[in-house]
Amino acid sequence: MNPSQAFDPLATSYDDTFTHTQIGRYLRDQIHARLDRHFRAGDHVLELGCGTGEDALRLAERGVQVTATDVSEGMLTTTRTKTAGNVLVRVERLDLRTLTPYPPLPHSEGEQLDGVFSNFGPMNCLEEWGTLASWLAKHVKQGGIVGLGVMSPLCMWEPLWHGLHGNFKTAMRRWRKKTVFHPDGVSEPITVTYPSISRITKDFAPHFRRVYVQPLGLFLPPSDVFGAIEKRPRLFNTLMALEKRFGQAAALAMLADHYWIEFQKI
Ligand SMILES: C[S@@+](CC[C@H](N)C(=O)[O-])C[C@H]1O[C@@H](n2cnc3c(N)ncnc32)[C@H](O)[C@@H]1O
């Protein structure tokens, strides 16, 4: 029996509080556009930290075979329920912190992966990314894409919003480099890190070449502020217009809530 994980208590509410919000949908659509560029029917793709399986299901509905993995049994159960009946999705437990010695790739039967992705933060549970890059290098085809959605170290929203509301601990949390995520105080806590684009690029560099970066949530807020913004339609529409106009500028990626970074296997 695996120990209860920090995300377990969120598994049944995550889609309501994030996936199905207007802002959550817009941000996820940006990633779906990237995934659609790279992966097509017949490809086999590994997902790391799949959460409730929203992206795995979307890809499988387009004919992509997805091995969806996560450390949280609660999240895995939600993914299994959501993707039940779709033979292209396989759901497996994988803890990104235990990649040495390298675990076998679930259900790969020796084949090389066409790509790998990890959306909205699983990379932030690691303190170095070289071990992951070396493991992925063994399993990804030459030219294959690894796409990662990472919580950025500078998110301009957090100091502004939480500072203005007098919540200075939250306002400055990313500047401390590491925080602890422990929503119910009972399950196993997660140490959260905020790696820079250059740090992840350096750790992937022996095996992968960086090919793309974009901000994700530059003018749109982090998820704990979605509700406050979505109930103010004029502000929401203004922020959405700014996001659509300037939200793809790679140079601003470190100021967003997340950045999306893509590597190609050398
Ligand atoms: C914010 S959620 C993102 C979920 C999903 N990728 C999405 O797009 O909504 C972060 C996920 O990372 C998972 N995670 C955290 N630490 C992990 C680890 N060490 N290994 C694998 N998954 C992990 C959590 O269980 C959670 O499902």
Side-chain angles (χ1 to χ4, degrees), residues 72-89:
S72 155
E73 293 291 357
M75 288 294 191
L76 292 170
T77 299
T78 303
T79 295
R80 283 192 187 101
T81 305
K82 189 182 283 185
T83 61
N86 194 318
V87 293
L88 290 178
V89 182

Side-chain angles (χ1 to χ4, degrees), residues 220-239:
L220 295 173
S223 57
D224 53 350
V225 188
F226 282 6
I229 300 303
E230 288 191 358
K231 68 182 182 211
R232 294 173 169 86
R234 283 181 61 187
L235 177 58
F236 170 76
N237 288 334
T238 304
L239 294 172

Side-chain angles (χ1 to χ4, degrees), residues 9-177:
L10 306 182
T12 51
S13 58
Y14 183 85
D15 280 344
D16 287 337
T17 56
F18 182 72
T19 310
H20 298 147
T21 61
Q22 291 180 81
I23 297 174
R25 274 189 215 279
Y26 174 81
L27 296 173
R28 199 177 286 282
D29 283 350
Q30 304 306 298
I31 300 313
H32 289 171
R34 296 304 305 173
L35 298 178
D36 288 349
R37 265 177 100 95
H38 297 302
F39 306 133
R40 38 197 55 83
D43 284 354
H44 182 193
V45 169
L46 173 68
E47 180 174 10
L48 307 171
C50 64
T52 57
E54 196 69 14
D55 297 334
L57 181 62
R58 166 83 170 33
L59 280 176
E61 284 171 347
R62 280 159 176 71
V64 179
Q65 182 189 332
V66 185
T67 300
T69 68
D70 202 287
V71 71
S72 155
E73 293 291 357
M75 288 294 191
L76 292 170
T77 299
T78 303
T79 295
R80 283 192 187 101
T81 305
K82 189 182 283 185
T83 61
N86 194 318
V87 293
L88 290 178
V89 182
R90 292 194 261 210
V91 184
E92 294 284 335
R93 186 175 188 277
L94 176 69
D95 185 346
L96 295 170
R97 295 163 300 184
T98 57
L99 296 178
T100 47
Y102 295 134
L105 194 62
H107 293 296
S108 69
E109 286 130 26
E111 81 178 294
Q112 294 277 95
L113 293 164
D114 296 290
V116 179
F117 73 98
S118 179
N119 198 1
F120 292 123
M123 289 300 111
N124 298 82
C125 74
L126 298 176
E127 299 193 37
E128 61 85 21
W129 295 266
T131 305
L132 172 65
S134 300
W135 181 65
L136 293 180
K138 285 161 50 114
H139 296 298
V140 177
K141 281 180 183 160
Q142 189 176 7
I145 293 290
V146 176
L148 308 171
V150 184
M151 287 170 71
S152 87
L154 296 176
C155 177
M156 65 178 176
W157 257 94
E158 276 197 353
L160 278 176
W161 180 268
H162 293 292
L164 284 172
H165 289 81
N167 187 352
F168 299 110
K169 198 171 166 214
T170 306
M172 296 183 298
R173 64 182 159 189
R174 301 198 195 197
W175 302 349
R176 287 196 296 274
K177 310 278 185 216

